[in-house]
Each structure stands twice: as C-alpha cells, then as structure tokens.
Amino acid sequence: MLVIGLTGGIASGKTAVSDRLAARGAAVIDTDLLAREIVAPGEPALAEIAAAFGPAALRPDGGLDRKALGAIVFADPAARERLNAITHPRIRERMAATLAALRRHDPAPPAAVLVVPLLFENGLDRLADESWVVDVDDAVQRARLIARDGLTPPEAEARIEAQMPRAEKLARATRIVRNDAGLAELDAEIDRVWRAAGLP
Ligand code: ATP
C-alpha cells in the first residue's frame, strides 16, 4: 500500500483529485474530517480545549463553537499554538491508526491518500511514502476560488497569500498533478501520475 500525502494550494483541486484516486481504488483519508472527529462531544481534545480557552470556545449544547474558537486563534498566535498542541498530535495518531488498519485489510488497497492542506507545514509528509502536489497557475486558482466561494478578488488574494508559496510546495513534491485544464484533462493527468507511481 503506497501512502500518498496529497496537498496543494486553496482551490487547487485536492478534492477533485482525491475523488478520482478513490475511483481507482485508493482509500482516502481526509484531514478536515479527522480534525472534526477528534473534537466531537466526549472526545478528550474537546475537554482540553474547554479547559484552555474557557466557555467562549463552546456552544450552549457543549459542542465546539468552531467559529468562536476560529476568531480567538486567528487573532492570537500563542492561542493558535495552544490549540495546535491539543489537536495536531491526535490528528496524527488517528491518521497513523487508520493507515495501520488499512494495511491489515486483506487485500489492502493499492494506495492510501492523506488529503492534507498543510502537509508540509505540519510535517505530515513524514507519514507518507510520496508527496503529491496539485498545481494550478495563479490565474486559474484565483478564478476557481472566486467562483466556488463567491469571494471578491482581494479576499481571494488574501487567502492565497496566507499560504506556503506555490514554488516551495512544488520543490517538495514527489509528483505534481497539473490541474489547469478541464476535468477530462485531469482524468488523463491522474492516469499518468498513477502509472508513474507504479500503481495498478
Ligand atoms: P480547498 O483548498 O478549498 O479544500 P480543493 O483544493 O479541494 O479546495 P476543489 O474543491 O477540488 O479544490 O476545487 C476547487 C474548485 O475548482 C471547485 O469548485 C472544483 O469544482 C473546481 N475544479 C477543480 N478542478 C477543476 C477542473 N479541472 N476543471 C474545472 N473546475 C475544476
């Protein structure tokens, strides 16, 4: 089972790519989903967040108030560090456990794909055999981000600017999945990269 860390800038097409890898039999592990699971009611991380950030981080029903917590950590880098110290080890643990469970499957899938927006930033590429970067040119990225999320051009720009530069991601890629053209071209690109990785 080849473990692939899949990343790329905002709106580069990570979901479009991971859907297509799933269609080829890969198991897809979505970090955003894991990040939600570890803070579900009853999970230890939720209690730790409540202890660290107080009732402002919780909704009246006791669940995590993601919006309020987001506002707290957005404004305060030290608070963000505290939150990451609570959540990141658990996300990593759950990822590793999921990979171990997949390896025990008989037959194991040919590939497991960790979809991680901050793959390199958070060192999760260390769990993967290969890092695949979905890449689009700047103009395509802006246009897709604006169309999908209904942003103004300056809002889109700010979100792109907040991320690791494209060149840095590309420099760390084992393989690059180009996604500038349409979905038919993406299918062909996936086919090429899948074979290049020696997948069946
Ligand atoms: P995020 O970083 O926000 O999680 P993402 O990297 O998962 O985004 P997607 O949601 O897969 O990106 O793609 C961004 C947008 O671009 C979506 O609206 C998607 O439908 C569209 N898109 C992706 N690939 C293509 C393509 N090859 N042709 C046309 N549209 C595309």
Side-chain angles (χ1 to χ4, degrees):
M1 186 180 84
L2 182 73
V3 181
I4 299 162
L6 181 69
T7 193
I10 185 167
S12 57
K14 295 179 290 298
T15 305
V17 170
S18 64
D19 286 351
R20 284 164 174 74
L21 297 175
R24 289 177 173 251
V28 173
I29 303 168
D30 182 335
T31 326
D32 290 339
L33 287 182
L34 291 185
R36 282 169 190 270
E37 281 173 23
I38 59 143
V39 295
E43 291 292 329
L46 182 62
E48 284 184 33
I49 290 169
F53 297 95
L58 300 184
R59 296 188 311 245
D61 68 1
L64 187 67
D65 188 334
R66 304 179 67 87
K67 209 170 165 195
L69 185 62
I72 295 169
V73 302
F74 181 74
D76 178 356
R80 190 157 59 234
E81 282 297 308
R82 281 207 302 284
L83 178 62
N84 288 346
I86 295 169
T87 57
H88 284 185
R90 291 192 166 90
I91 293 171
R92 174 182 287 274
E93 246 167 52
R94 214 165 263 227
M95 234 176 220
T98 308
L99 289 174
L102 286 170
R103 284 199 176 91
R104 286 193 299 270
H105 272 227
D106 189 18
V113 182
L114 309 172
V115 185
V116 194
L118 302 180
L119 182 73
F120 301 123
E121 294 87 334
N122 291 338
L124 288 166
D125 54 323
R126 290 196 292 270
L127 289 179
D129 300 311
E130 298 198 351
S131 299
W132 292 14
V133 174
V134 186
D135 189 53
V136 286
D137 73 38
D138 300 347
V140 173
Q141 181 183 27
R142 275 173 190 68
R144 288 191 185 149
L145 180 56
I146 288 168
R148 188 193 61 184
D149 294 352
L151 303 179
T152 65
E155 286 167 343
E157 192 60 39
R159 281 170 178 68
I160 292 168
E161 281 298 309
Q163 297 200 313
M164 178 187 274
R166 182 180 162 203
E168 210 172 311
K169 287 197 187 92
L170 290 177
R172 298 178 64 166
T174 314
R175 299 179 204 286
I176 297 169
V177 182
R178 301 259 2 135
N179 188 26
D180 294 312
L183 293 173
E185 287 84 354
L186 180 60
D187 287 334
E189 178 70 351
I190 299 280
D191 195 47
R192 179 189 70 76
V193 177
W194 183 267
R195 285 164 196 269
L199 289 165

